[in-house]
Amino acid sequence: MIDPTIVEAAGQVLLDPVVWLAVISAAVYGVFVGAVPGLTATMAMALLVPVTYWLPPLPALAAVVTMVACAIFAGDIPTILLRIPGTPASAAYADIGSGLSARGKADLALVTALVSSVAGGLIGAAVLIVLGSQLAQVGTLFSPSEHFWLYVLGLSCAVVVSRDAPGRGALAVLFGLLVSTVGLSAVHAQSRFTLGNPELYQGIGFIPAMIGLFGVSEVLKNLITLEVGPEGGTEGIPPAGSNRPIRSLPLGIVRLMRRPLAVLRSSAIGSLIGMLPGAGADVASWVSLGVSRRSGHDPRTPDDEAALDRLGDATTANSSALAGAWIPALILGIPGDSVTAIVIGVLMMKDLRPGPEIFEKQPIIVYGLYTIFLLANLVLLPIGLAAIKAGGLVLRVPKRILMPVILLFCVLGAFAINGSGFDVGVMLAFGLIGFVLERRGVPLGPVVLGIILGGPLEERLIQVLTASDGSPWAFVDRWPARVLAGAWVVLLVLGLARPRRRSGGGRGEPVGSGNSSRLSS
């Protein structure tokens, strides 16, 4: 017998026109935010909070959940079409997606990302519904030592996925970690590498750095490779395919259904990582991509098919991580990421106190939230198809027009974060650095991950060593830490022992990664 409270909560969500208006409006807003590089879901959430103040609790939650779900997927559109990550979570598969786009499979790549995002979101919501309170208890087992190993695993996955050049992947991670040390130390409050510049006290923001590494470097690359036509114009970007995503939708669904175990595996990775404070969709994407690369494919599988599978695994994980982040937020009042930190503020603004008692005192809100998660991901499918249709028109614009527009969006995205011209300078500097690194075959995705995880990794390292008077055994003195440390060792062994498969490109680059993904190809 179905609990009457569940039926009542579902009715309040599905039969309320205000909820539907909030869902549709937030979906459009989220797609726009995610598709513009530099406009993060966190920033969009902060701008949405004043609006939620005037909404009842369920419509407010509907707007928040839908906006984030749509923004995470929409970040895949510039990632795949232009190799400019719309969100940090999509940096993990920027090379794979743009490589598929350059070979005329943008439609299929975007539809695969959309279908996988919807599936990951629905499975993540199911995990939240069925195992929410139980999984929240797992999060309480994680001390600083477990978080340390989790971050090390994420960074190691970034190296492992650089399968034809793990040394260069390691160099990229180390460079990102070096960049993360700029500014005031989170532990000792000492300034480092600031050169007396007050703007650097808060460190180098990963959003301007990410936009520069992927966006400005792409513009510089295309400025060099522009080919002048017979009339003095420049050639357009290669066609991305038919730009008919609805026709590719059945193929995306079939691909999803023939890999159920991979979908469940990626969703489980995303849900588990999402519920850990400070991890979120960024780490989930890298870990899932690393597992997908090491899971093995039939050697008879075409390279593009394998690339689509890996793209689907990563997007499944980052969407399921969104629901996982709500588990500690609802049960323990601990934010799983920066977005749910703002969400907790929204809940408190509505006189809803997160904690174990919320299931007893506010069951309508909890079950209504579950319904909203399912609704938000279902609404994402038609709106996502419309966004893909609109985004596909980008590749039909000539380079001489598109490149200045991309640079303009890069500048606006970097400036919009803090309203600072210094961030624009950081973006331009990292654009030049990214251009040089790519010319040397160094992958850029691990650099971004190193910048993101460097601060938390250092903080957990100092916390463990301080609490143990410098004893290294403190990193493995608990069974969860031993499990994660063992997983890291296995990852390294598999990464070093497994023979690397070379593509036929002559340079040893895997299809869909590194220098094989070029808008000018």
Side-chain angles (χ1 to χ4, degrees):
M1 179 105 180
I2 299 178
D3 189 338
T5 307
I6 298 177
V7 177
E8 181 182 356
Q12 289 191 18
V13 170
L14 299 177
L15 301 179
D16 188 348
V18 178
V19 171
W20 281 97
L21 179 62
V23 166
I24 295 174
S25 302
V28 175
Y29 174 53
V31 165
F32 171 77
V33 168
V36 177
L39 300 184
T40 65
T42 304
M43 180 192 303
M45 178 70 75
L47 296 176
L48 190 62
V49 167
V51 178
T52 62
Y53 178 80
W54 304 101
L55 294 174
L58 283 177
L61 290 175
V64 167
V65 171
T66 306
M67 188 278 295
V68 176
C70 292
I72 289 294
F73 160 72
D76 297 340
I77 296 177
T79 301
I80 293 173
L81 296 181
L82 301 173
R83 197 170 165 268
I84 305 175
T87 60
S90 56
Y93 43 88
D95 287 338
I96 294 176
S98 62
L100 289 164
S101 177
R103 293 188 295 279
K105 296 191 175 182
D107 266 9
L108 194 53
L110 286 168
V111 168
T112 297
L114 174 60
V115 173
S116 299
S117 295
V118 172
L122 292 175
I123 295 175
V127 172
L128 174 64
I129 294 170
V130 176
L131 302 175
S133 57
Q134 289 80 5
L135 288 178
Q137 300 304 316
V138 177
T140 62
L141 299 176
F142 276 64
S143 68
S145 59
E146 283 80 21
H147 281 100
F148 170 83
W149 287 113
L150 180 67
Y151 297 143
V152 170
L153 269 172
L155 293 169
S156 299
C157 284
V159 176
V160 169
V161 298
S162 305
R163 61 187 304 172
D164 285 319
R168 291 173 180 174
L171 178 63
V173 168
L174 291 175
F175 177 70
L177 292 175
L178 177 63
V179 172
S180 72
T181 62
V182 175
L184 296 176
S185 169
V187 180
H188 304 296
Q190 295 292 322
S191 61
R192 303 172 300 188
F193 310 115
T194 59
L195 305 177
N197 194 329
E199 283 87 354
L200 289 176
Y201 286 167
Q202 299 300 317
I204 294 177
F206 71 88
I207 295 298
M210 182 183 73
I211 295 174
L213 286 170
F214 287 96
V216 178
S217 68
E218 195 72 26
V219 172
L220 292 175
K221 195 163 45 185
N222 279 272
L223 286 177
I224 290 178
T225 57
L226 280 177
E227 299 180 15
V228 179
E231 312 232 340
T234 54
E235 294 185 359
I237 290 179
S242 63
N243 192 23
R244 296 177 179 176
I246 295 180
R247 290 190 176 183
S248 300
L249 183 60
L251 295 176
I253 295 175
V254 169
R255 176 181 304 279
L256 187 77
M257 295 181 65
R258 69 176 173 81
R259 303 180 67 243
L261 294 180
V263 173
L264 291 175
R265 179 193 66 208
S266 299
S267 299
I269 290 173
S271 298
L272 290 173
I273 292 179
M275 74 175 209
L276 302 175
D282 310 343
V283 179
S285 292
W286 281 104
V287 172
S288 181
L289 182 59
V291 172
S292 180
R293 284 218 189 249
R294 294 301 156 186
S295 63
H297 281 85
D298 189 328
R300 295 169 295 180
T301 302
D303 288 328
D304 283 349
E305 292 295 309
L308 286 167
D309 289 345
R310 289 163 188 154
L311 175 67
D313 290 342
T315 51
T316 299
N318 65 27
S319 290
S320 62
L322 299 179
W326 279 77
I327 293 174
L330 277 179
I331 310 298
L332 305 174
I334 301 174
D337 54 18
S338 57
V339 172
T340 49
I342 301 176
V343 167
I344 290 178
V346 173
L347 291 173
M348 292 183 174
M349 185 172 63
K350 299 298 181 183
D351 293 326
L352 304 173
R353 299 290 173 180
E357 66 278 1
I358 194 172
F359 288 90
E360 299 177 2
K361 295 182 179 179
Q362 300 285 346
I364 295 294
I365 295 297
V366 174
Y367 294 132
L369 178 65
Y370 294 162
T371 307
I372 288 169
F373 260 105
L374 298 174
L375 177 62
N377 283 281
L378 292 175
V379 168
L380 172 60
L381 189 60
I383 291 182
L385 288 172
I388 292 173
K389 180 68 176 179
L393 299 177
V394 171
L395 292 190
R396 304 183 184 277
V397 180
K399 285 186 184 179
R400 65 181 183 274
I401 298 174
L402 182 60
M403 289 301 116
V405 173
I406 291 176
L407 184 60
L408 175 62
F409 271 103
C410 290
V411 172
L412 290 177
F415 182 80
I417 299 169
N418 297 311
S420 169
F422 182 81
D423 286 339
V424 177
V426 168
M427 176 204 68
L428 295 174
F430 272 86
L432 183 59
I433 292 172
F435 175 75
V436 173
L437 290 177
E438 277 215 305
R439 299 284 284 188
R440 299 298 179 184
V442 177
L444 301 182
V447 177
V448 175
L449 191 68
I451 296 174
I452 294 174
L453 295 185
L457 177 68
E458 179 190 14
E459 187 174 353
R460 299 300 186 271
L461 173 67
I462 299 299
Q463 285 176 347
V464 174
L465 292 177
T466 301
S468 63
D469 293 327
S471 172
W473 295 110
F475 290 99
V476 290
D477 64 347
R478 293 159 42 88
W479 71 263
R482 295 190 193 104
V483 171
L484 290 175
W488 176 68
V489 172
V490 170
L491 178 67
L492 287 186
V493 170
L494 292 177
L496 295 175
R498 185 167 179 173
R500 300 170 199 158
R501 180 176 59 84
R502 296 279 179 175
S503 298
R507 296 183 58 182
E509 291 159 357
V511 171
S513 64
N515 294 330
S516 64
S517 57
R518 296 287 187 267
L519 286 175
S520 57
S521 297

